[in-house]
């Protein structure tokens, strides 16, 4: 049975390897591999793989063992005990020699010259683990002293600043991808020149065929006036660009071609065209859109009596958030 052990291991590891490859092929989710330092992933993977393989091999071995006759089991057990005794023989012997311990017959060689009421002391070596750890601390101290006290490599303040600077870089990196996390609920009107320029480029590339370069309209409606078929304001415009217009009208859903950040940029650019005068403006279509969140301009104050003040607000906004109803 002992000679079978390597074979069992190979079979066990093959099974685990096959299962792992299958799993890796089906999930396609590599995010954990991207976030961890490679060395940890490799180390963790090898360890997991090893443990799983050993468990699998042990299970196979147990299966085979159960199928043995009683007599064969006995013979196997005896061999196993012998093998255990010989296991790590080299390491055990080495450790013993490092310990420098002597057999009882030779103890007189290392006995000290003291005798405390019959209690004697052996001049044994220190345990190797203790001795070499101690040497290691001395080495560490020397290197530390030279590096930080003589050459002043860096101090805590510098270490802190370096960490903060690194974090700043990572935040900037994150922000670049975070832009693509915008959706209908979180989108805001962008006003940076770089965003509007990017929006203009996207508009020129994708939209002018139907909306004209100045937004005056053609196949698609005029984008510069106060009237909106599908609702004005950044959220509605973003939604129209992302999800498309009414069926059959020709405005496709751009979310398959444009990233969320790009749709936010082109939506902001479209809104920046508002109030401009295109060369050949298409007649207004849809309703005049008022922003429900805009500050209310007109408020009438009516004094009812000297103590009570009543505020009447005209043109109270009727529509709420995103227009969803007028797709027909
Ligand atoms: C194939 C022609 C076509 C292209 C290309 C096109 N649109 Fe449109 N667009 C339309 C039509 C048609 C409508 C009206 C949809 C409706 O009535 O439901 C529209 C509607 C819109 C609206 C809503 C207008 C309103 O009054 O509510 C916006 C905003 C808009 N488009 C932006 C864009 C942007 C940005 C692009 C480029 C990424 C683009 N469109 C590309 C044809 C187009």
């Amino acid at each position: 049975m002992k000679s079978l052990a390597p074979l069992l291991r190979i079979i066990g590891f093959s099974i685990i390897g096959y299962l792992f490859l299958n799993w890796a092929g089906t999930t396609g989710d590599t995010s954990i591999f991207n976030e961890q330092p490679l060395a940890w992933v490799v180390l963790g993977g090898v360890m997991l793989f090893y443990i799983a393989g050993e468990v699998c091999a042990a299970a196979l071995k147990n299966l085979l063992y159960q199928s043995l006759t009683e007599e064969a089991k006995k013979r196997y057990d005896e061999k196993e005990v012998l093998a255990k005794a010989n296991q790590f023989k080299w390491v055990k012997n080495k450790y013993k020699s490092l310990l420098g311990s002597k057999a009882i017959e030779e103890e007189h060689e290392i006995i000290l010259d003291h005798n405390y009421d019959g209690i004697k002391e052996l001049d044994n070596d220190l345990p190797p683990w203790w001795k070499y750890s101690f040497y290691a601390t001395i080495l560490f101290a020397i290197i530390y002293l030279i590096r930080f006290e003589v050459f002043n490599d860096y101090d805590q303040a510098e270490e802190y600043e370096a960490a903060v600077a690194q974090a700043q870089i990572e935040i900037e990196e994150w922000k670049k991808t975070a832009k693509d996390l915008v959706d209908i609920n979180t989108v805001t009107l962008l006003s940076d020149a770089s965003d509007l320029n990017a929006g203009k480029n996207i508009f020129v590339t994708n939209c002018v065929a139907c909306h004209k370069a100045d937004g005056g309209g053609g196949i698609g409606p005029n984008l510069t006036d106060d009237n909106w078929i599908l609702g004005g304001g950044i959220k509605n415009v973003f939604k129209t660009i992302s999800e498309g217009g009414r069926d059959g009208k020709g405005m496709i859903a751009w979310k398959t071609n444009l990233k969320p950040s790009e749709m936010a940029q082109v939506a902001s650019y479209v809104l920046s065209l508002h109030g401009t005068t295109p060369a050949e403006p298409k007649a207004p279509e849809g309703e005049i859109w008022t922003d429900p969140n805009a500050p209310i301009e007109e408020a009438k104050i009516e004094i009812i009596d000297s103590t009570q003040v009543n505020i009447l607000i005209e043109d109270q906004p009727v529509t709420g958030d995103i227009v969803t109803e007028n797709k027909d």
Side-chain angles (χ1 to χ4, degrees):
M1 187 75 112
K2 184 156 182 274
S3 57
L4 269 181
L7 182 71
L8 287 176
R9 283 224 167 84
I10 290 171
I11 299 174
F13 279 94
S14 307
I15 294 174
I16 294 302
Y18 172 76
L19 290 177
F20 176 78
L21 286 180
N22 237 359
W23 169 78
T26 51
T27 59
D29 176 13
T30 53
S31 57
I32 51 158
F33 296 110
N34 296 335
E35 278 162 23
Q36 302 300 326
L38 187 66
W40 284 115
V41 176
V42 172
L43 191 73
V46 168
M47 272 173 69
L48 272 183
F49 188 79
Y50 179 75
I51 292 169
E54 282 292 323
V55 169
C56 200
L60 279 175
K61 194 165 148 184
N62 194 41
L63 259 181
L64 281 180
Y65 181 78
Q66 295 307 331
S67 66
L68 292 178
T69 62
E70 282 308 311
E71 204 178 319
K73 267 185 194 166
K74 216 185 218 165
R75 252 185 293 137
Y76 173 75
D77 287 345
E78 274 163 16
K79 267 192 196 159
E80 193 80 327
V81 169
L82 216 87
K84 279 250 164 69
N86 282 329
Q87 221 176 13
F88 304 123
K89 206 172 182 180
W90 181 83
V91 178
K92 281 178 196 157
N93 285 345
K94 189 79 198 155
Y95 190 80
K96 234 183 217 161
S97 78
L98 281 174
L99 259 183
S101 61
K102 302 266 179 198
I104 291 181
E105 311 83 61
E106 296 164 3
E107 265 182 357
H108 63 269
E109 291 174 17
I110 54 165
I111 201 139
L112 288 175
D113 208 11
H114 307 146
N115 189 339
Y116 306 95
D117 294 339
I119 298 174
K120 294 177 179 178
E121 195 183 348
L122 292 177
D123 187 15
N124 273 324
D125 277 352
L126 289 162
W129 67 265
W130 197 98
K131 194 161 73 180
Y132 292 110
S133 308
F134 181 59
Y135 291 159
T137 61
I138 295 175
L139 195 69
F140 180 88
I142 292 171
I143 294 172
Y144 187 90
L145 190 83
I146 293 175
R147 202 171 150 194
F148 293 103
E149 298 299 329
V150 180
F151 291 110
N152 287 323
D153 201 346
Y154 59 83
D155 60 22
Q156 285 178 341
E158 285 164 1
E159 201 176 357
Y160 168 75
E161 268 151 33
V164 170
Q166 178 61 30
Q168 209 61 44
I169 294 169
E170 280 167 20
I171 290 172
E172 290 306 316
E173 272 306 305
W174 179 78
K175 275 190 183 160
K176 274 184 210 156
T177 50
K179 269 191 180 172
D180 279 325
L181 298 176
V182 296
D183 59 19
I184 294 168
N185 299 313
T186 56
V187 66
T188 50
L189 187 65
L190 305 171
S191 52
D192 277 6
S194 63
D195 284 322
L196 292 177
N197 267 333
K200 183 177 182 175
N201 286 336
I202 297 163
F203 191 80
V204 170
T205 318
N206 301 294
C207 323
V208 293
C210 301
H211 291 284
K212 292 263 177 72
D214 55 12
I219 297 167
N222 187 338
L223 297 175
T224 66
D225 55 19
D226 292 333
N227 297 53
W228 295 90
I229 305 168
L230 302 163
I234 184 68
K235 292 198 170 165
N236 290 318
V237 170
F238 182 92
K239 185 179 176 226
T240 305
I241 296 169
S242 165
E243 310 297 323
R246 294 167 297 173
D247 282 345
K249 295 282 179 184
M251 174 71 183
I252 60 159
W254 287 92
K255 63 182 172 195
T256 44
N257 297 314
L258 298 176
K259 285 193 226 150
S261 58
E262 293 172 331
M263 293 191 294
Q265 287 166 335
V266 73
S268 299
Y269 175 71
V270 164
L271 289 173
S272 76
L273 298 175
H274 178 250
T276 58
T277 331
E280 298 164 358
K282 211 179 161 191
E285 292 165 82
E287 313 262 301
I288 294 192
W289 192 81
T290 43
D291 186 350
N293 299 319
I296 291 147
E297 280 163 17
E298 271 179 85
K300 254 193 199 167
I301 298 175
E302 195 184 355
I303 298 169
I304 290 176
D305 67 35
S306 56
T307 55
Q308 228 184 339
V309 179
N310 229 16
I311 303 174
L312 295 179
I313 300 163
E314 286 187 10
D315 293 325
Q316 196 143 23
V318 265
T319 43
D321 291 350
I322 300 159
V323 181
T324 47
E325 293 309 305
N326 55 2
K327 272 198 177 190
D328 52 29

